[in-house]
Amino acid sequence: MESQWGESGSVGVEGTRLEELAPEPLLTRDYETRPSLVYERLRQQHGPVAPVDLLGVPAWLVLGYREALQVLQDDDGWPKGLENWRARTAGEVPADWPLGPSLEVNHVLIQGGPGYGTLRTAWDAALKPFQDPGHPQAKRLKAAVTAYADELITLVGQGGGTGVADLSAQFSRPLPLMVASHLLGFPGSQGDDALMDMWRVLDAGPDAEPALERLLATLAELAAVKLKEPGDDFPSYLLAAHPGLSLDELARELFMLLGMTSDHVGILMSNTVVEVISGDGDGGVRASLSAGMIRETMNRVVMRKPPLVNFVPRFAARDTALGNYTIRAGDPVWVSSAAAHADPLFADHVAAGSAISTRAHLSWGAGRRQCPARELASTVAAVGVGRLFERFSHLDLALSADQLPWRSSPFMRGLRSLPVRYELAPMPRQRAGRPPTSASAPESAEPEAEAILPAPAARQRSSLWRYLTGLIRTGR
């Protein structure tokens, strides 16, 4: 439908286009340190939808929970796909816009259009063996997470039975990357160079661009191997479910899996550890963890500090009223899960002191385009956190909770480091890295965990392992 306000631009209730609202920059120093205050200020000024400036590009930021659901659940009214972005089609988005490269890798979380349905169905099929608790691959995945977690904790313990460690750098970040290597089917530790490059890409430092080029090349090589010799891994399952994928397309999807199972999961683990240790003023998280309810603890954590704070953009399919504004067709709309969770219309109905959390959070999205790997990510995080509190008899923050250094990006918010004082629990007779087997498991399944880890010599030679052992030597 045609807007009463003219041929181009988004309009507010009084006819002001988005470009004429002089939207304030979102990614400021205030946003880096206290994003909740920024969201609240925007909410007070504009209501549940606010105009913002994202590194020089105007966009709408959805702050209200009800409005967030409206956008996330209506794929026809608010589609994904950069082809729907009017300003980009008109050449009005700067070629060097810093967010451009991350949005132009046209994988399953970005893609719109008719090809998405087939791709998403293939993703669901490829992930099902790892997300179905009764499937052998899901059981093997849990064994892998346990083994890798024990390996990392044992490495931390080489600095002594008690000491100080950075659980972000030495545990929460490497663990999901090691699991991703398992999912991708990298042979032995040969994928560790790729994992280090993924780390560089996520950090968005000066070496991020060459790291991304190397990483995509490595993933294309892996895709070619899986095309010739399929295995019991995600790339092979994805190819079987979607034979029409080119090697370049498959490499982009593998890149998405690395990102989906690395930064998000690592932040979730670190945030959960902080909440459990600090209690953040109430006993709810401690109560739920001591009751063996790690998933409940994580649900509470993602309500308060979701790792993915802003979703990739959607675009208005037609002129649509949202909040106090009318959004013009083709304008970018970013949904903020962090702001939506803090919306008084939603937050005031969540019982803060309960050990049982709400399932209504938006951390994995909502509607048909919910994160396809949400169960996988939750499993990895739950096993990792559980193993930490089993292997350490004491964990305490080395800094007060309000002094912990945070890093914010247009998409994610997590800790730069998580310094803790630790005390290792006495090791059981069972060797680290070998998870206990179920009483109903066949005897032949017991050695499975031993086959997960490469030989110690291979680990010592890998770039990831050299980096982690370097942290021990330097006392970081």
Side-chain angles (χ1 to χ4, degrees):
M1 88 181 177
E2 276 300 318
S3 167
Q4 60 179 311
W5 304 111
E7 294 295 321
S8 64
S10 292
V11 293
V13 290
E14 297 180 355
T16 306
R17 296 184 176 90
L18 170 62
E19 295 80 2
E20 298 172 350
L21 287 171
E24 69 173 86
L26 178 66
L27 305 178
T28 62
R29 176 64 178 170
D30 285 345
Y31 184 81
E32 174 85 11
T33 56
R34 295 292 298 277
S36 59
L37 298 182
V38 175
Y39 294 140
E40 185 56 32
R41 184 174 71 248
L42 290 171
R43 198 190 314 275
Q44 292 294 326
Q45 291 175 349
H46 300 280
V49 180
V52 297
D53 178 287
L54 287 174
L55 302 176
V57 172
W60 297 101
L61 188 69
V62 180
L63 309 165
Y65 183 86
R66 181 176 57 192
E67 290 75 15
L69 276 181
Q70 179 180 337
V71 172
L72 294 175
Q73 293 180 335
D74 185 1
D75 291 336
D76 296 327
W78 305 94
K80 287 187 177 182
L82 297 186
E83 68 275 8
N84 297 302
W85 191 353
R86 189 189 63 257
R88 181 175 180 269
T89 301
E92 297 170 1
V93 177
D96 59 350
W97 187 47
L99 301 186
S102 61
L103 294 177
E104 289 167 5
V105 180
N106 197 28
H107 48 65
V108 68
L109 292 192
I110 301 291
Q111 190 175 127
Y116 169 75
T118 302
L119 180 60
R120 176 57 189 260
T121 299
W123 262 83
D124 290 341
L127 285 172
K128 184 176 181 180
F130 302 103
Q131 301 196 115
D132 180 355
H135 197 284
Q137 280 290 62
K139 295 176 181 178
R140 187 167 183 263
L141 174 69
K142 289 189 72 172
V145 180
T146 303
Y148 292 136
D150 278 347
E151 193 179 30
L152 290 169
I153 293 168
T154 299
L155 184 62
V156 170
Q158 288 183 4
T162 61
V164 177
D166 179 356
L167 280 190
S168 176
Q170 294 172 246
F171 186 83
S172 297
R173 297 197 77 193
L175 176 60
L177 285 175
M178 293 163 74
V179 175
S181 180
H182 169 84
L183 291 169
L184 293 177
F186 276 115
S189 64
Q190 294 177 18
D192 278 3
D193 286 338
L195 304 188
M196 291 296 290
D197 275 336
M198 188 69 213
W199 213 330
R200 297 179 182 104
V201 171
L202 293 173
D203 283 344
D207 53 354
E209 186 173 349
L212 177 60
E213 293 178 2
R214 289 193 303 268
L215 179 58
L216 289 175
T218 299
L219 292 174
E221 292 173 6
L222 179 65
V225 170
K226 299 304 177 182
L227 185 61
K228 293 180 181 179
E229 301 177 9
D232 291 324
D233 47 56
F234 176 80
S236 303
Y237 295 159
L238 189 62
L239 279 170
H242 197 327
L245 283 177
S246 68
L247 290 182
D248 179 62
E249 290 169 335
L250 179 57
R252 292 201 298 268
E253 301 308 317
L254 300 186
F255 172 78
M256 185 61 249
L257 183 73
L258 267 177
M260 194 183 300
T261 56
S262 54
D263 214 21
H264 196 140
V265 177
I267 292 172
L268 177 55
M269 285 194 293
S270 288
N271 289 0
T272 302
V273 170
V274 172
E275 291 287 300
V276 172
I277 293 175
S278 68
D280 218 32
D282 63 62
V285 286
R286 287 182 181 273
S288 58
L289 189 70
S290 63
M293 300 162 62
I294 295 179
R295 293 293 185 106
E296 293 293 345
T297 303
M298 292 195 308
N299 277 327
R300 288 173 55 85
V301 168
V302 296
M303 278 295 305
R304 298 157 67 94
K305 296 183 177 70
L308 182 61
V309 291
N310 301 314
F311 296 114
V312 296
R314 292 172 178 250
F315 305 89
R318 61 193 66 85
D319 290 12
T320 306
L322 191 68
N324 296 331
Y325 290 92
T326 297
I327 312 301
R328 176 67 170 165
D331 265 2
V333 175
W334 296 61
V335 172
S336 172
S337 62
H341 290 172
D343 183 352
L345 294 177
F346 174 69
D348 289 352
H349 292 84
V350 177
S354 173
I356 305 299
S357 61
T358 178
R359 295 297 195 279
H361 64 75
L362 303 178
S363 296
W364 306 109
R368 291 180 295 174
R369 295 202 62 148
Q370 266 194 318
C371 174
R374 58 191 181 277
E375 178 59 29
L376 170 68
S378 296
T379 296
V380 174
V383 173
V385 170
R387 206 69 191 124
L388 270 179
F389 285 97
E390 289 172 10
R391 291 287 309 276
F392 288 108
S393 60
H394 178 77
L395 279 176
D396 190 23
L397 294 179
L399 294 173
S400 62
D402 60 359
Q403 291 181 321
L404 291 172
W406 290 85
R407 58 184 176 92
S408 294
S409 79
F411 305 105
M412 312 296 291
R413 177 168 168 80
L415 290 168
R416 294 186 185 277
S417 62
L418 177 49
V420 297
R421 290 182 290 270
Y422 69 84
E423 182 177 335
L424 279 170
M427 276 295 296
R429 291 183 181 180
Q430 180 175 294
R431 183 163 57 252
R434 179 172 178 174
T437 57
S438 166
S440 61
E443 288 294 322
S444 59
E446 289 189 12
E448 185 173 312
E450 294 181 346
I452 292 171
L453 301 178
R459 270 285 181 227
Q460 292 167 10
R461 289 193 299 269
S462 79
S463 56
L464 178 64
W465 221 241
R466 290 196 305 271
Y467 173 80
L468 292 172
T469 52
L471 295 182
I472 302 295
R473 288 195 301 269
T474 59
R476 285 184 57 189

